[in-house]
Amino acid sequence: MLLCRNVWQKLAPLTHRGAAALLRNAPVRQMSSSSVPGSSGEALPYYLLVAVSLTGGVFYAYRTVSRDKARFHERHEYINEQLKPAFEEYESKK
C-alpha cells in the first residue's frame, strides 16, 4: 500500500502537467454562423429509419408472442391428454 501511495505521489503531478499542455495546445473550433448544426434536416432519414425499424420490431414481437401463446396451449393440452397418461402407465409398470 505504501508503494502505491509513493508511486501515486510521484506520477500525479506529471499527469496534471500533461493534461494542461494538451488543453493549452488544443485547436480553436470554428463555428459556422449560418445555422444551428443539424437543423437542415440532415438526420431526418435516420430518424425515419429508426422509427420504422422500431415499429416493425414491436409488431413482429407482438405477432410472434400472440401466435406462440396459442401454439403453447395446444402443445400443453396434447401433453396432458396423450403423453402424460402414457408416462404414468410406464411408471406404474416399473
Side-chain angles (χ1 to χ4, degrees):
M1 178 130 170
L2 186 61
L3 177 66
C4 291
R5 184 171 181 255
N6 287 337
V7 170
W8 176 257
Q9 287 178 348
K10 294 216 191 272
L11 294 179
L14 296 175
T15 59
H16 292 301
R17 272 186 265 150
L22 284 175
L23 292 175
R24 199 175 326 117
N25 296 331
V28 177
R29 183 174 175 213
Q30 297 292 325
M31 299 296 287
S32 64
S33 60
S34 62
S35 67
V36 178
S39 66
S40 62
E42 298 169 348
L44 184 62
Y46 299 114
Y47 291 138
L48 290 174
L49 178 67
V50 169
V52 168
S53 300
L54 183 65
T55 304
V58 168
F59 175 73
Y60 175 75
Y62 174 76
R63 188 182 66 183
T64 302
V65 168
S66 64
R67 284 185 181 172
D68 284 347
K69 188 187 297 184
R71 191 176 71 192
F72 170 77
H73 287 298
E74 289 174 7
R75 179 78 178 142
H76 190 56
E77 289 172 6
Y78 172 76
I79 290 172
N80 282 337
E81 290 175 2
Q82 295 190 6
L83 297 181
K84 205 169 188 179
F87 181 71
E88 290 172 355
E89 182 181 321
Y90 174 75
E91 285 291 318
S92 66
K93 287 183 181 179
K94 279 188 173 182

